[in-house]
Amino acid sequence: MTSLSRSPQPPSSLSPSRASDFMQCPLLYRFRVIDKLPEKPSEAATRGTLVHAVLERLFDSPAAERTAGRATALVPGQWDRLLGSKPELAELFAGDAGGERLARWLSEAESLVERWFSLEDPTRLEPAERELFVETELESGLRLRGVIDRIDVAPTGEVRIVDYKTGKAPRPEYAEGALFQMKFYALVIWRLKGVVPRRLQLVYLGSGDVLTYDPVVADLERVERKLLALWDAIRLATETGEWRPRPTKLCGWCDHQSVCPEFGGTPPVYPLSVRPPESEPGEQGRMDPVRTEAGRPVAPEGP
């Protein structure tokens, strides 16, 4: 029996990763959200998924047993589970007859797990939530959603949101961009629970750094305004079909160069219906400033 593929749909919600996609390159957002073009798995991203799974599972053990040795021992089993759910990941090590590349890759994952123990003490932590899916709808109707790595709640009720990163900490001038995801989550928690998280914490296992930020209501209100403006730009691009590429150094890691105009490619036929551009009488030669904004990346505001 032939299965029917689901027809493309306009975007209906926003997550931190998809918001970052649009800010990085509107055309990349289209390829991922609307066209749903396939992307090859990468060793770095898959290693991150594996490490996250290990750190989540470690808290299944009693506090006294949460040791570095036990954590690294979880790596092979979690890799097998990951392969079971996503068999395509085996392609990462195709041709690795002796298994040397895989062994080295697993060793790198184990090193990242071990480094975490120099940054946090899991025997003193009892997370309230791990890998928690959260979703809320703002008064505007915009739905925000995402998955939070860990939520800690102090006996006094203060909330800490923790996110693990397997890469290196950014330079100070780029720290605000890194915190955008955390402020996004803080906004969702605030709108869901009516509580402003006491602390946002990014744990960088690649460099052994911990970045923290203590948000206030004004921070979250600014993020909400930014997301509403971003969503307006996304909706306009969806309706008009105008998704403009924004070339940067990150293009070198993009899987979609073959269909990107910046690299001589042609995007797939736009799968959604579009409305014609609007213009006032006598203004045909003037560019609509709102439409221009839809094709321009919208950067997160500073604190």
Side-chain angles (χ1 to χ4, degrees), residues 41 62 199 215 260:
R199 173 153 294 182
C260 177

Side-chain angles (χ1 to χ4, degrees), residues 10 40 48 55 61 118 120 147 256 298:
K40 296 179 181 178
L55 299 185
S61 303
S118 68
E120 294 190 290
V147 177
H256 309 303
V298 182

Side-chain angles (χ1 to χ4, degrees), residues 164-180:
Y164 308 120
K165 300 294 185 185
T166 50
K168 297 181 179 179
R171 296 201 301 264
E173 59 267 32
Y174 298 113
E176 179 56 33
L179 282 170
F180 172 71

Side-chain angles (χ1 to χ4, degrees), residues 231-283:
W231 189 243
D232 284 343
I234 290 172
R235 286 194 303 180
L236 184 61
T238 302
E239 294 170 0
T240 62
E242 295 182 13
W243 301 92
R244 302 182 183 182
R246 181 185 178 232
T248 67
K249 293 180 180 179
L250 297 175
C251 291
W253 286 271
C254 184
D255 282 340
H256 309 303
Q257 291 184 13
S258 63
V259 290
C260 177
E262 293 294 324
F263 293 87
T266 302
V269 174
Y270 191 55
L272 302 178
S273 59
V274 298
R275 64 173 173 80
E278 299 175 359
S279 61
E280 297 292 334
E283 293 187 349

Side-chain angles (χ1 to χ4, degrees), residues 116-156:
W116 177 58
F117 285 81
S118 68
L119 304 173
E120 294 190 290
D121 181 359
T123 66
R124 299 171 61 87
L125 297 171
E126 292 297 340
E129 300 288 352
R130 290 172 280 155
E131 296 296 322
L132 176 67
F133 174 78
V134 292
E135 183 176 40
T136 191
E137 184 172 309
L138 304 180
E139 290 183 0
S140 65
L142 171 59
R143 283 194 299 132
L144 305 179
R145 61 196 307 177
V147 177
I148 300 175
D149 289 348
R150 195 179 89 217
I151 296 180
D152 300 330
V153 180
T156 54

